[in-house]
Structure formats: structure tokens, C-alpha cells
Amino acid sequence: MKSVTILGATGSVGTSTLDLIEREPDRFRVVALTANCDVAKLAAAAIRTKAEFAVVADEGCLPELREALDGTGIRAGGGAGAIAEAASSGADWTMGAIVGCAGLKPVMAAIEQGGTVVIANKEPLVSAGDVILAAAERTGATLLPADSEHNAIFQCFDATRPERVRRIILTCSGGPFRDWTAEQMRGVTLEQAVKHPNWSMGAKISVDSATCMNKGLELIEAARLFPIAHDRIEIVIHPQSVIHSLVDHVDGSVLAQLGPPDMRTPIAHTLAWPDRMATPMAPLDLVAIGRLDFEAPDPVRFPALRLAREALDAGGARPAILNAANEVAVEAFLQRRIGFLEIAAIVEHTLSCYDPAAPDSVDAVLAIDAEARILAGERVKDYAV
């Protein structure tokens, strides 16, 4: 049996992972599950999967979790220390799906154990890519991408001969405002921004998709994961979200990974890797899909793409600042404190006024993250409605 830990078990990625594990209970042993504060959902999942350890990040929710698990034999924990303990459980396979930079330390703790760590949250590789990759090399940990785009590239990329890859092409749905004018986007509401046309995702990731920052973060992540020059990573709008990414080789062969817009497909690939496992998804029906469209992204209407590429090219602390400022701005938008277009404006302002040295440790990354959040928060006040 493969032992598994899920960091962020109650989010969209976590629940998709649980769905796959519960379909083959004889194949997996659940060591630990974590959540922020959704006690009911976490306890139910822990009981169903016979998990050994369940943890809430919000320590104030621990009494409720203990009560929910009373008599089950499942150990309960709360707070940052317990999250770190869960991440350090020594599981064969760990899913890192804690949204935001809050997932950085748990992912690093899992990497320190040297097993297989699946990266579903972009922030660790975006904010601390060099630190994360150095730790994985030191401990022998295997990093696998669960993002549909990066998982697609992983399946098509010949890591043994990277010099034979000409381009990586990241596909992007374009989000709900792909065809909107800049003037129309000024009036975007929260309800419109979180309604993704293809994927079922959490609110923060849905807003990132709407601004195209999600794709900007994926650009940086791809540069961390795959040995290829930055200028050879391209982004193409593909509204149907059927082709998840492509790899163009020097002989003109372009390999693409296709699949339904369902996170269970890439998660299953990482769960079974290097093998394959069955999933509940119906076979892809290309005749029913009928057509696959592509277009170039517009960096004017979606400035997040430009900001992300500039941060990637500059390197150092820039990606961490980009990510932190974006998290603050998106949260302000979700609280209806700023308008949609002001998200990118706040990120750009924060990048323009803060330029520390490159971080060389997780603590240095978190210090940069904290300062960038303060600066972005001050800018939010200038825009607050």
C-alpha cells in the first residue's frame, strides 16, 4: 500500500484527491489530512479514509475537531506545529494543496522527508523556487506537478534530453472575460469573476484565472520545473480547455496532452506514477467537442501576464513579491474593497517600490512575502471603495 498525506484536504484539489483514493481503498493508506478550519468536512474525510492524523491550521477549531473524532482512534491536532508534523509524517506520497504562501513551510517539511511531493499550489515554486529545488535535490525528494498544465508538460517533456525541446506551450482558457473590452472589465463583479467557464475551483484561483495571473504564476512555475530558457515558454489561449499544454521538439513534432477539464486526471497521474490508474472520467469525445480554438493572449487587457514574465526574467525576490501582492489584492477584491482592474495595478505598484535581495532560505522568502503584503495592503487602502 502507498501511504499518503494530503495537505489541504478540504479544498477542490484535496477533495478530488480523496475521491480517487476512496475508489481504491486497498491501494492507499492515509497517514494525515489537514485543513484550515472546515472541521466537519475534515473529520468526515478522516473517518471515511481511516486516516491516522487530522489537523486544522486554526488552533481555535481543535476542540471541535477532537469532539468530532472522539472514539474513532484518529489523532487530532491544531496549529502550525501540527501542520508541520503532518507534512513530516514520512508518507510515500504527499499532496501539497494549501492555497497561498501558507503552503510553503508544509511543502518544504514534506520535501525534507525525501518522498514524492506533489505540487498543486503554485506559490512554493513561484515564491521559493530555487530554495525548493535545492532542498529536493539534497533530500532526493521527487517533485511531481499536479496543475493540469504542468502535469501535461511533464507527460510530454523528455527530461533526459531537454536540449531537444524547442518550446513549451502553456494553454490558457482565457477565463470568463476573454472577449470583454477593457471598458467592460471595469465593471466586473465578484460573482462574475469567480464563475469560471470550464473548471470548478476555489474563489482565489478563479479570480486569478479571470485576471490571467494564474497563467502568469504557471509561467514562472514551468520555468522552475523544466530546464528550458524563459523565452521559449509561450502562452496560448485555448477556450475549450481540452489540450492542457504542448511540448514542441526540434524536429517539428509537437506532443500534446488532452483530457477533460477535471483535476482528477492529473492527480491520478501523480498518484500512480510511474504507473497509471483508472479514473471515473468518461473517454474524451473529440467528435462531440467538434473543434479546438487558439488565439494569442492580450497583455494589455490582462497585464498580469506582463508582470509575471517581467518578474520571472528579473528573478531574485521578484516572483515572491508578485505572488504576495497578488494574494493581498485578490483578497481585497473578494471582500469587495477594490475593483477588478485594481488587482493588477496593486501588484505592479508593489513591484515598483520594493526590491530586496534574492532569498536564500524559506525564512527569507517569508520575510519578503510579509513586507510585500504590508506594501500591497497600504496600496489597497488608496483604492478601497
Side-chain angles (χ1 to χ4, degrees):
M1 296 179 75
K2 181 178 289 186
S3 60
V4 303
T5 286
I6 305 175
L7 306 173
T10 59
S12 60
V13 171
T15 54
S16 292
T17 306
L18 285 167
D19 178 74
L20 293 167
I21 288 171
E22 291 179 65
R23 291 173 186 273
E24 298 195 35
D26 295 334
R27 188 170 179 175
F28 303 103
R29 175 175 66 87
V30 178
V31 177
L33 302 176
T34 81
N36 185 29
C37 59
D38 192 339
V39 170
K41 196 170 181 180
L42 175 64
I47 292 168
R48 289 196 317 271
T49 60
K50 299 181 175 60
E52 298 169 14
F53 191 27
V55 181
V56 280
D58 184 345
E59 201 163 1
C61 297
L62 181 55
E64 184 183 354
L65 179 62
R66 283 178 172 150
E67 182 179 356
L69 296 177
D70 186 40
T72 65
I74 300 170
R75 192 160 59 95
I83 294 286
E85 182 184 350
S88 304
S89 61
D92 300 324
W93 185 96
T94 299
M95 167 60 77
I98 298 175
V99 175
C101 223
L104 176 53
K105 278 195 170 182
V107 163
M108 180 62 83
I111 289 172
E112 291 292 341
Q113 304 306 302
T116 295
V117 180
V118 179
I119 306 292
N121 54 334
K122 300 172 180 60
E123 292 78 13
L125 281 173
V126 170
S127 297
D130 292 340
V131 177
I132 290 285
L133 294 175
E137 184 174 0
R138 173 172 50 80
T139 65
T142 298
L143 300 184
L144 296 178
D147 254 356
S148 62
E149 295 82 0
H150 301 97
N151 184 263
I153 297 166
F154 181 77
Q155 294 191 51
C156 299
F157 194 98
D158 186 353
T160 64
R161 293 174 292 183
E163 72 280 359
R164 301 189 182 186
V165 172
R166 183 163 55 187
R167 290 181 301 161
I168 285 175
I169 304 170
L170 286 167
T171 58
C172 172
S173 72
F177 312 127
R178 176 175 59 88
D179 297 323
W180 288 36
T181 66
E183 187 58 36
Q184 286 176 312
M185 290 168 68
R186 292 184 188 281
V188 164
T189 67
L190 172 58
E191 290 73 20
Q192 291 169 327
V194 298
K195 191 175 182 180
H196 194 280
N198 299 334
W199 295 88
S200 176
M201 304 182 293
K204 194 268 181 184
I205 300 175
S206 295
V207 173
D208 281 346
S209 180
T211 63
C212 283
M213 180 61 83
N214 193 48
K215 202 55 51 178
L217 297 176
E218 287 176 6
L219 169 71
I220 298 172
E221 191 177 7
R224 302 283 194 246
L225 287 168
F226 304 103
I228 190 169
H230 301 169
D231 61 357
R232 291 197 280 142
I233 305 174
E234 300 179 6
I235 297 172
V236 172
I237 300 285
H238 170 49
Q240 290 88 359
S241 295
V242 172
I243 296 177
H244 297 297
S245 278
L246 310 93
V247 176
D248 176 20
H249 295 80
V250 293
D251 62 0
S253 298
V254 180
L255 304 185
Q257 188 269 339
L258 286 71
D262 191 312
M263 281 300 295
R264 288 176 295 182
T265 296
I267 292 169
H269 178 263
T270 66
L271 258 176
W273 186 83
D275 199 356
R276 298 272 180 176
M277 65 184 288
T279 70
M281 270 69 77
L284 193 66
D285 189 340
L286 291 174
V287 174
I289 293 167
R291 58 183 288 174
L292 300 174
D293 298 308
F294 305 93
E295 61 187 76
D298 184 349
V300 176
R301 286 185 300 123
F302 297 99
L305 295 172
R306 171 180 57 82
L307 295 173
R309 191 170 286 279
E310 289 173 354
L312 171 61
D313 290 341
R318 310 303 283 171
I321 298 168
L322 173 95
N323 177 71
N326 180 65
E327 284 192 27
V328 170
V330 170
E331 182 59 29
F333 175 73
L334 291 173
Q335 295 173 357
R336 304 181 193 273
R337 296 171 58 204
I338 63 171
F340 180 75
L341 294 184
E342 287 153 1
I343 296 173
I346 289 167
V347 173
E348 184 160 24
H349 173 80
T350 307
L351 285 163
S352 72
C353 64
Y354 183 42
D355 189 20
D360 58 1
S361 67
V362 169
D363 287 340
V365 171
L366 292 175
I368 290 167
D369 178 87
E371 181 63 23
R373 287 173 189 274
I374 292 171
L375 294 170
E378 291 299 319
R379 192 60 171 176
V380 165
K381 294 177 185 177
D382 295 337
Y383 285 111
V385 295

